[in-house]
Amino acid sequence: GQEGFHAEKVEVGEAGLRSSPCHHVDQTSTRVDGQNQHCTIVCNPLYTSYNTTPGKDRLSVLDALRNGRERRFRLNEEALSYLESVPLSNATRAWLLAESSDRDAKEQTFVERLDTRWPKLNTQQRQAILSAAAVAAYHAEKDMPIVRLLIGDDAPQFNWIAAELALCWVHEGRHYKKLMPVFVHHLQLLSDFRKQFWNYYDDLSAYQQQPTPEASARLDGEFARLFSTRTGYEARDARIAKTREKKESLLMVIKHPEI
């Protein structure tokens, strides 16, 4: 007797997705009838949608962003470009190229074709092909809103989906909180850097309220300076280098102050 609530949930999700090209996304574990599953949360300041699925992968994220529509797969040029960095045999790549098309396939049809032709693909390879084809089909959709900017953490399942990905500074800051220095000197170095980290975040928040080209240039330079420091505390320096590699996504607020 929950049909009315299910229908309302679909309507809220549809209206929410149409409200903005920018959406927050996250996935968290949840229990359903004693079984471990996962909940994908999609939201912006106007709505929140909770979507529980057995898996925690790119396909489940797409299920949430497509508001529960039937899965579609498209093995086109875009899908093949995503697979360039995936370790696949030359024979598999040749088959994928031969199978490429700008037409969508239903999930059962696509999966059966893949598993019949390449039954020995390992789990990662199979999942990568399914993900690439599903993302390509999503980007080709005409009858629903496509999310252009995702805001979340750096979980790999959020890659490929949107044209732009803005990373969360709170998630990034947790990596530094997990460091466990042994020496007092390293503990002080970490403490000092974390203060600088959050002071920089405060500057980004201030920029968001009053963005200017001058402030944008200043923040870009400060990021380069802050995340280029080396102190000899190897764990901290390695963590800083990883943050530096995420510059574009961490500074997405400079390009999009509305987020």
Side-chain angles (χ1 to χ4, degrees):
Q2 305 299 317
E3 290 80 3
F5 290 109
H6 285 298
E8 184 176 9
K9 177 187 181 299
V10 170
E11 291 172 0
V12 168
E14 196 74 16
L17 288 168
R18 293 187 183 280
S19 67
S20 168
C22 308
H23 297 267
H24 291 260
V25 65
D26 202 359
Q27 289 189 312
T28 186
S29 300
T30 188
R31 298 277 285 179
V32 179
D33 294 333
Q35 301 297 316
N36 291 327
Q37 295 200 20
H38 303 275
C39 182
T40 303
I41 303 96
V42 181
C43 64
N44 65 23
L46 301 176
Y47 84 111
T48 301
S49 175
Y50 300 90
N51 309 267
T52 302
T53 56
K56 182 183 179 181
D57 53 21
R58 196 172 284 114
L59 292 179
S60 61
V61 178
L62 285 171
D63 288 341
L65 296 179
R66 298 181 68 254
N67 204 27
R69 288 172 170 82
E70 180 183 355
R71 288 179 177 177
R72 295 284 180 174
F73 297 84
R74 178 177 294 207
L75 197 59
N76 60 5
E77 186 176 341
E78 179 186 357
L80 295 178
S81 70
Y82 294 137
L83 296 172
E84 288 179 359
S85 60
V86 177
L88 296 169
S89 68
N90 291 335
T92 303
R93 292 191 186 279
W95 179 80
L96 291 171
L97 182 60
E99 290 285 310
S100 63
S101 168
D102 285 325
R103 297 178 60 183
D104 287 350
K106 292 185 177 181
E107 181 174 21
Q108 182 176 352
T109 303
F110 189 83
V111 170
E112 286 180 353
R113 219 164 72 209
L114 180 64
D115 291 346
T116 299
R117 185 65 178 81
W118 300 103
K120 293 185 178 181
L121 287 174
N122 64 40
T123 302
Q124 291 77 14
Q125 292 170 325
R126 182 180 184 277
Q127 193 67 20
I129 293 172
L130 291 175
S131 295
V135 170
Y138 171 62
H139 290 166
E141 300 248 17
K142 301 296 184 185
D143 61 342
M144 65 169 295
I146 306 300
V147 176
R148 302 299 178 188
L149 172 57
L150 273 183
I151 307 160
D153 60 27
D154 57 355
Q157 63 265 31
F158 300 142
N159 294 332
W160 300 357
I161 291 177
E164 297 177 305
L165 175 64
L167 291 181
C168 170
W169 279 81
V170 175
H171 282 84
E172 189 64 24
R174 289 177 186 170
H175 294 305
Y176 294 92
K177 194 173 183 180
K178 292 177 181 178
L179 295 177
M180 300 179 66
V182 176
F183 301 109
V184 174
H185 176 59
H186 289 174
L187 182 64
Q188 187 61 52
L189 288 174
L190 179 60
S191 177
D192 292 345
F193 182 81
R194 291 186 63 208
K195 289 178 182 177
Q196 295 177 64
F197 182 99
W198 291 117
N199 286 338
Y200 182 79
Y201 174 82
D202 290 340
D203 287 344
L204 282 179
S205 298
Y207 168 87
Q208 182 189 34
Q209 300 303 314
Q210 195 171 6
T212 65
E214 294 77 15
S216 171
R218 176 178 58 80
L219 287 166
D220 187 273
E222 288 183 4
F223 184 98
R225 177 191 57 79
L226 179 60
F227 294 101
S228 296
T229 56
R230 294 188 60 83
T231 62
Y233 174 22
E234 292 185 5
R236 197 206 75 158
D237 292 347
R239 187 69 255 172
I240 289 175
K242 290 181 179 179
T243 299
R244 185 170 64 248
E245 293 173 357
K246 306 172 188 176
K247 177 181 178 180
E248 181 180 359
S249 293
L250 284 169
L251 294 188
M252 193 62 70
V253 69
I254 292 180
K255 184 178 179 181
H256 295 281
E258 69 276 11
I259 67 171

